[in-house]
Amino acid sequence: MAVAEVVVVGSCMTDLVSLTSRLPKAGETIHGHRFFTGFGGKGANQCVQAARLGAKASMICKVGKDSFGNDYIGNLTKNGIPTEFVNQTEEAATGAASIIVNSEGQNFIVIVAGANLLLNSDDLKRAAHVISKAKVMVCQLEITPSVSLEALKMAHTSGVKTLFNPAPAIADLDPQFYTHSDIICCNESEAELLTGIAVGNAEDAGRVGLILLERGCKTAIVTLGPEGCVVVSTKEPIPKHVQAQKVTAVDTTGAGDSFVGSLAFYLAYYPNLPLEEMLRKSNFIASVSVQATGTQTSYPFRKELPQGLF
Ligand SMILES: Nc1ncnc2c1ncn2[C@@H]1O[C@H](COP(=O)(O)OP(=O)(O)O)[C@@H](O)[C@H]1O
Ligand SMILES: *[C@@H]1O[C@H](CO)[C@@H](O)[C@H](O)[C@H]1NC(C)=O
Ligand SMILES: *[C@@H]1O[C@H](CO)[C@@H](O)[C@H](O)[C@H]1NC(C)=O
Ligand SMILES: *[C@H]1O[C@@H](CO)[C@H](O)[C@@H](O)[C@@H]1NC(C)=O
């Protein structure tokens, strides 16, 4: 059994993308001009970014016993991610996101989480030995929230650093998510759902961070798109704004997942680096991802990045 330094308990989704000149109306059939599939799901996205930076990473997730599930497993393997804890179920289909995008970039998205919602306690127990030996555990909310919480608890009680990305956000989050997370990392809209504070700038993000600390996490990070992120921790209770590079963004889909996956990599492999430095590097990697189209297709590999990042 391989050791993993970064363990992700989360989702795998197949993106089914149709490009059209306009969005259809109810009951209408229209022709699109291009179709493609993509590998997505926040859990797998974060795991793939960490692996592309060189992390030994393991994915604990559930897909269907269908061609999408088979293909997903094949692609995780291609990314160097072991799949011994990728469970295939006959009870539901592989998670899918049907996406229609018009020429203005507006979209309709329907997500059917499917097999992701069947990931359960037994799946976590089968992976318990890997979870307890990891350096970092990463969780999101695209699987059953109680299963995410159980994974965070298992890791936290074993002394594994826990990185929680409350996405997509739910308003009535179980308070234990905060106490079992060393680090919480969310974007502006998730920050608002969690705290009721609309985030328009770094100062607002700092206020959100302080509230999240009061709820029990040790470090809170709010990402701000082109503005980078704001971080605050119990050790350094004054919010700090860490700026991103100025770049020309062509597709920001999955930027947050690139950021979280990068941060997981640095936490596992460079634990003595100052947090601000890890965030500067994670901003940089996420800013590279927004300069190419697609989600995982835009995530850079270690060999393509400036070697000063490592
Ligand atoms: N336009 C951009 N220019 C540079 N960096 C970006 C841009 N958009 C996103 N990023 C990087 O990606 C991170 C996450 O982006 P954000 O939009 O906050 O998350 P999400 O994808 O969850 O909405 C940011 O903190 C930043 O590092
Ligand atoms: C998947 O789950 C089933 C039970 O639901 C179990 O019998 C099987 O061993 C699991 N496989 C993996 C790879 O976890
Ligand atoms: C934050 O992430 C969610 C997905 O969890 C996404 O729907 C939303 O658009 C993002 N918000 C911002 C401000 O980027
Ligand atoms: C999924 O794996 C990555 C990493 O090896 C490749 O770069 C992608 O091309 C691959 N995707 C498909 C559709 O095969």
Side-chain angles (χ1 to χ4, degrees):
M1 181 262 317
V3 292
E5 309 288 308
V6 174
V7 172
V8 178
V9 173
S11 56
C12 291
M13 304 263 185
T14 305
D15 293 335
L16 305 167
V17 186
S18 298
L19 305 184
T20 60
S21 52
R22 61 176 180 84
L23 300 176
K25 300 186 181 73
E28 189 188 14
T29 300
I30 62 170
H31 284 266
H33 54 268
R34 195 160 104 78
F35 174 81
F36 56 92
T37 62
F39 296 107
K42 291 173 190 295
N45 291 347
Q46 294 170 13
C47 195
V48 163
Q49 180 63 86
R52 288 187 183 179
L53 298 178
K56 274 191 178 172
S58 189
M59 187 68 205
I60 302 173
C61 63
K62 191 159 279 187
V63 297
K65 246 191 190 113
D66 49 28
S67 56
F68 289 138
N70 295 340
D71 289 352
Y72 217 120
I73 290 173
N75 195 260
L76 287 172
T77 304
K78 273 198 195 169
N79 276 287
I81 297 169
T83 56
E84 53 184 324
F85 303 113
V86 179
N87 200 285
Q88 266 190 301
T89 180
E90 301 200 40
E91 312 293 315
T94 299
S98 300
I99 304 172
I100 300 169
V101 188
N102 73 9
S103 32
E104 274 104 71
Q106 295 171 307
N107 57 40
F108 282 156
I109 302 178
V110 178
I111 289 179
V112 181
N116 288 297
L117 298 181
L118 300 185
L119 188 72
N120 58 36
S121 260
D122 292 339
D123 296 308
L124 296 182
K125 288 193 184 90
R126 272 190 287 272
H129 53 293
V130 171
I131 293 175
S132 66
K133 287 191 200 107
K135 296 278 195 303
V136 178
M137 151 73 72
V138 190
C139 290
Q140 319 73 24
L141 292 173
E142 270 183 348
I143 59 170
T144 308
S146 62
V147 177
S148 285
L149 180 56
E150 187 180 344
L152 287 170
K153 279 188 189 171
M154 281 171 76
H156 194 228
T157 56
S158 305
V160 176
K161 193 162 275 228
T162 50
L163 170 55
F164 175 48
N165 172 222
I170 45 181
D172 56 345
L173 195 65
D174 185 325
Q176 294 183 89
F177 272 103
Y178 296 100
T179 51
H180 290 286
S181 297
D182 291 305
I183 304 177
I184 290 193
C185 178
C186 62
N187 72 13
E188 292 150 281
S189 32
E190 290 146 4
E192 177 170 0
L193 245 149
L194 293 174
T195 63
I197 295 176
V199 177
N201 55 43
E203 202 185 317
D204 300 335
R207 285 166 58 218
V208 165
L210 290 167
I211 292 173
L212 299 179
L213 291 188
E214 275 170 23
R215 293 183 185 170
C217 62
K218 296 191 196 74
T219 297
I221 299 161
V222 179
T223 61
L224 299 168
E227 301 306 318
C229 64
V230 165
V231 60
V232 61
S233 0
T234 47
K235 269 198 242 158
E236 294 201 42
I238 299 168
K240 268 207 190 96
H241 186 184
V242 183
Q243 304 269 0
Q245 339 291 309
K246 296 266 168 289
V247 301
T248 306
V250 301
D251 182 356
T252 62
T253 321
D257 294 335
S258 170
F259 181 90
V260 171
S262 302
L263 179 57
F265 167 78
Y266 286 109
L267 290 166
Y269 286 86
Y270 298 86
N272 298 322
L273 208 61
L275 185 58
E276 241 185 283
E277 198 48 41
M278 295 189 198
L279 297 176
R280 219 180 301 287
K281 291 171 187 288
S282 301
N283 271 337
F284 183 90
I285 295 162
S287 78
V288 171
S289 83
V290 306
Q291 296 173 71
T293 54
T295 305
Q296 290 180 16
T297 48
S298 72
Y299 291 179
F301 290 80
R302 183 176 184 134
K303 62 177 190 304
E304 301 163 347
L305 290 162
Q307 292 310 298
L309 287 169
F310 303 99

